Amino acid sequence: MTNRLEDVLENSGMAVDIVPVEGELNVGPQHPGSGHMRILVKLNGDIIEDVDLDVGYVHRAVEKLGENRNYMHLIPLVERPAILDSIHMNLGYVMAVEKIINVDVPERAQYLRSFAAEVNRIASHLYGLGILGIFLGHSTAFMWGFGDREVWVHILEMLTGARVTNSYIIPGGVRRDLTPAIIEETKKAITYMRKKLEDWKKIFLYNPTIRARLENVGVMTKEKAIEWGAVGPNLRASGVYYDVRKIEPYAAYPKLDFEIPVYKEGDGYARTMVRFEEVEQSLRMLEQIIKEIPEGNILSDRFFKQIPPTRLKKWWEGYRRIVLPGYYASFRPPKGEAVTRVEAARGELLYYLVSDGSAKPYRLRMVTPSYRLINVMRNLAKGSRFADLVSIYGSLDYFPPEADR
Amino acid sequence: MQRPIDNVLNLVKSKFNAQVKAESDARGQIEVDKKAIVEVAKLLKEQGFDHVKSVTGIDFPEQEKIQIVYHVSSYSNPELAKVILALKTYVTYKEPKMQSLYEVWESAWTGERETYEMLGVYFEGHPDMRRLFLPEDFEGVYPLRKSYKIKLEGLFVDKQA
């Protein structure tokens, strides 16, 4: 066959002169494919030689503000970095506070925490898949991701009163109880989502274009994933069985039956598959929670007793809602420190809280999953093709506000 | 039965001049001099602690020193994965410098850079010791030191007339 370009050119007497193109390229900070972040890419042809992530465009100084507010006022603040995953941000922080003030959480509240967390996980994964879709030019996935997410956001709204930034979890329990209407709506949502996941597979997961953009792109080996400190679905897609819900179970997870999807390929497709299967597992967990949730109080007795009887009658007996007891106004926890972690939608979320006995934390350290992905993304993008930069970004589900905090 | 955390802490104590404490089955802390921290880190890595979760500093203005805390844990060893160890050391205001642990744990990259910009502690041997989140005009100002005060707005509550 003489169809090869070189042969054709030679026969015709023409030649190709390859001019190496090198240079730096700015992606962002307002690029739709970069989020609020600038990626400085050093290119050689279309191969990425080096990447510098210029993060910090959405830095909210959570850690500094944490030293200037009292413990309750910090609940809405720590949620802000990841509004689409705020239940987890809330939960990790409250668990740290609970550890310092040493309070037990009633069983029903533990189940409600897991319920809210799993609903939020589904919503967050759908958001991530939508963003990945639009990065790859698949605008249907973007519409579907945000549309289907709305179903779960609606349940969170019914449960907590807010679509996002719920501030639902408080020290000692949760703010509102589950009602029959929410259970009904959740059952409908689970049926809908199961049906919709089949459609998702047909149009997105098994789509040859999507597979071509994700398979063997941004491959992270198990060794590298451990070395770079990857977290969450990205770590599990590289063959590491690691999920805080199993390693160090919190809330109602010790009693729930669920599996952790692990893939060994480590490419963008494996990361997407892990998220899909986690949605399926979350649906399973929600079914179990609805069935098995025990009766009882949703706030620790220690705080529940402080609510004035008239307000208790009106709000708790009338609407199944907790009125914040006076203790919360500006309590002074004992001296001490706590390290807690939860499995947020994007991976492990760590809080390190140091109390000096005053009404404000002495130091609040918040390490979000996306923060730890900065290092992963920087290393992973090196050596890949420029067109795959967005594919790597999207498949990691990196979320700039969460990383900047 | 000997807990895995005790094994590690006892080993560190036998080899180094370190204060160790196990707070529970899953949490422990090691406090060492900054000169010995790289050696301790290497020992911990040999034991299976393969990544850094967080690097941070806590400012103590009265004592004119900053405590540096590394939270380390394991991905590969399922027993140690339950454990988070806090590896602590101090640097003084006069000499806010210490050896970077990047050569031991690559995952310390982000945390050390952030600690550098937020507290002004220089990590020697870190390949990229630049500011990370803060804008360019934050030269010489370290926001997470207690001396850096932020302007706070009061809370306003509407009272009914």
Side-chain angles (χ1 to χ4, degrees):
Chain A
M1 291 291 286
T2 53
N3 280 347
R4 285 177 59 230
L5 182 65
E6 290 85 351
D7 299 338
V8 175
L9 289 169
E10 208 179 305
N11 293 340
S12 64
M14 290 189 285
V16 176
D17 191 15
I18 296 172
V19 184
V21 181
E22 282 180 52
E24 282 187 31
L25 208 58
N26 263 308
V27 183
Q30 292 300 331
H31 187 268
S34 81
H36 308 288
M37 173 173 72
R38 190 163 62 135
I39 312 175
L40 283 161
V41 191
K42 204 168 165 225
L43 286 172
N44 184 353
D46 82 333
I47 303 293
I48 297 172
E49 278 198 333
D50 198 10
V51 172
D52 186 20
L53 298 188
D54 184 6
V55 290
Y57 283 86
V58 268
H59 190 262
R60 288 178 168 85
V62 167
E63 291 183 9
K64 184 68 187 176
L65 288 171
E67 296 170 8
N68 290 286
R69 311 243 150 124
N70 69 28
Y71 285 89
M72 284 307 278
H73 292 166
L74 279 175
I75 291 178
L77 179 71
V78 294
E79 288 180 345
R80 255 62 190 178
I83 48 166
L84 61 147
D85 196 19
S86 56
I87 291 281
H88 286 108
M89 305 287 138
N90 188 180
L91 178 57
Y93 170 71
V94 167
M95 276 166 60
V97 176
E98 278 167 354
K99 212 166 176 179
I100 286 185
I101 59 177
N102 194 17
V103 58
D104 289 327
V105 182
E107 196 74 341
R108 189 175 174 83
Q110 297 280 28
Y111 269 83
L112 283 171
R113 284 178 178 190
S114 277
F115 178 84
E118 290 313 314
V119 170
N120 210 165
R121 186 183 315 277
I122 298 173
S124 176
H125 279 347
L126 287 171
Y127 183 104
L129 287 167
I131 295 286
L132 171 64
I134 196 71
F135 274 11
L136 301 180
H138 192 297
S139 43
T140 309
F142 179 63
M143 296 298 170
W144 280 18
F146 280 75
D148 291 349
R149 171 177 174 264
E150 210 57 29
V151 174
W152 299 101
V153 168
H154 175 62
I155 289 170
L156 275 185
E157 189 185 355
M158 285 178 87
L159 181 68
T160 69
R163 283 165 45 83
V164 287
T165 56
N166 319 80
S167 302
Y168 177 59
I169 294 151
I170 50 176
V174 292
R175 275 195 306 113
R176 292 184 183 200
D177 205 356
L178 203 61
T179 61
I182 300 172
I183 293 179
E184 210 43 52
E185 201 74 1
T186 312
K187 280 182 184 159
K188 269 195 240 163
I190 293 172
T191 318
Y192 169 79
M193 198 66 224
R194 288 234 164 93
K195 207 175 95 221
K196 200 74 185 170
L197 279 179
E198 293 306 311
D199 294 344
W200 267 96
K201 282 177 189 158
K202 279 181 212 150
I203 204 167
F204 191 73
L205 271 193
Y206 303 152
N207 184 334
T209 322
I210 296 299
R211 293 187 70 145
R213 290 299 306 273
L214 289 173
E215 272 174 339
N216 294 321
V217 168
V219 180
M220 179 160 60
T221 60
K222 188 176 176 179
E223 290 71 34
K224 285 293 171 198
I226 292 171
E227 200 176 306
W228 296 337
V231 281
N234 306 324
L235 180 67
R236 292 192 281 278
S238 292
V240 183
Y241 182 90
Y242 189 88
D243 188 310
V244 184
R245 289 174 293 172
K246 288 282 188 198
I247 302 276
E248 201 181 291
Y250 54 95
Y253 293 114
K255 294 172 198 86
L256 296 176
D257 174 32
F258 63 102
E259 275 152 32
I260 304 299
V262 177
Y263 278 73
K264 60 181 191 306
E265 286 84 358
D267 58 359
Y269 195 64
R271 292 193 277 273
T272 313
M273 288 298 279
V274 167
R275 291 208 174 80
F276 255 92
E277 289 180 21
E278 280 191 10
V279 171
E280 282 166 15
Q281 293 297 328
S282 296
L283 295 175
R284 253 181 83 191
M285 272 184 263
L286 288 177
E287 279 181 333
Q288 290 172 41
I289 292 170
I290 293 173
K291 218 159 87 190
E292 291 163 13
I293 188 164
E295 286 303 315
N297 211 336
I298 60 167
L299 187 67
S300 165
D301 275 345
R302 184 172 140 194
F303 301 137
F304 193 74
K305 281 182 197 147
Q306 296 177 0
I307 305 172
T310 47
R311 306 196 77 192
L312 207 60
K313 200 165 170 6
K314 183 178 171 195
W315 291 101
W316 173 240
E317 283 164 25
Y319 303 96
R320 308 292 283 176
R321 288 178 192 176
I322 292 295
V323 190
L324 298 187
Y327 174 80
Y328 286 159
S330 68
F331 59 87
R332 288 165 189 275
K335 269 186 195 173
E337 56 178 66
V339 183
T340 54
R341 49 173 168 171
V342 296
E343 185 73 23
R346 288 182 181 74
E348 185 183 41
L349 166 70
L350 181 106
Y351 278 99
Y352 174 48
L353 189 62
V354 181
S355 156
D356 63 344
S358 70
K360 296 163 184 170
Y362 191 75
R363 182 81 172 85
L364 170 72
R365 173 72 169 156
M366 179 182 186
V367 179
T368 51
S370 291
Y371 173 87
R372 289 171 66 186
L373 286 179
I374 296 175
N375 189 30
V376 173
M377 191 163 138
R378 178 182 75 95
N379 282 303
L380 209 51
K382 274 181 209 166
S384 71
R385 302 177 72 165
F386 183 63
D388 290 339
L389 181 69
V390 283
S391 162
I392 291 169
Y393 187 147
S395 69
L396 285 174
D397 199 4
Y398 175 85
F399 187 53
E402 191 184 89
D404 291 0
R405 299 154 312 169
Chain B
M1 203 193 91
Q2 188 89 344
R3 297 181 297 178
I5 185 168
D6 291 328
N7 291 337
V8 174
L9 290 179
N10 289 338
L11 183 70
V12 171
K13 202 168 179 182
S14 68
K15 291 202 172 173
F16 296 97
N17 177 23
Q19 287 171 291
V20 299
K21 197 171 109 193
E23 287 148 2
S24 66
D25 292 359
R27 301 284 186 272
Q29 49 174 300
I30 301 169
E31 200 181 308
V32 288
D33 191 79
K34 71 172 177 182
K35 290 190 189 82
I37 196 161
V38 179
E39 293 306 311
V40 176
K42 278 181 184 155
L43 179 71
L44 287 176
K45 192 169 186 191
E46 273 170 31
Q47 296 303 308
F49 288 89
D50 51 21
H51 70 286
V52 171
K53 290 190 188 297
S54 143
V55 184
T56 190
I58 307 174
D59 186 18
F60 293 100
E62 295 86 24
Q63 300 158 47
E64 298 206 339
K65 59 185 186 181
I66 295 165
Q67 186 182 47
I68 305 293
V69 190
Y70 288 81
H71 286 105
V72 297
S73 185
S74 175
Y75 281 148
S76 37
N77 183 332
E79 278 304 310
L80 294 179
K82 299 187 174 83
V83 177
I84 298 179
L85 280 186
L87 180 59
K88 299 179 173 181
T89 190
Y90 286 98
V91 296
T92 57
Y93 275 12
K94 285 203 185 80
E95 205 199 351
K97 250 186 212 173
M98 65 177 283
Q99 199 63 38
S100 165
L101 295 188
Y102 176 81
E103 54 169 301
V104 186
W105 291 301
E106 215 182 285
S107 37
W109 185 86
T110 334
E112 288 188 350
R113 260 186 85 174
E114 200 197 0
T115 310
Y116 164 68
E117 67 169 355
M118 294 293 176
L119 286 145
V121 179
Y122 192 87
F123 292 89
E124 281 165 338
H126 188 286
D128 216 1
M129 201 77 292
R130 292 178 293 135
R131 263 173 279 116
L132 182 65
F133 293 114
L134 296 177
E136 284 76 12
D137 56 354
F138 259 77
E139 198 68 62
V141 186
Y142 303 113
L144 273 181
R145 288 201 185 179
K146 297 282 176 189
S147 55
Y148 186 89
K149 301 283 182 214
I150 50 167
K151 211 176 144 193
L152 285 174
E153 287 175 9
L155 270 178
F156 299 101
V157 182
D158 285 334
K159 280 186 184 160
Q160 283 177 345

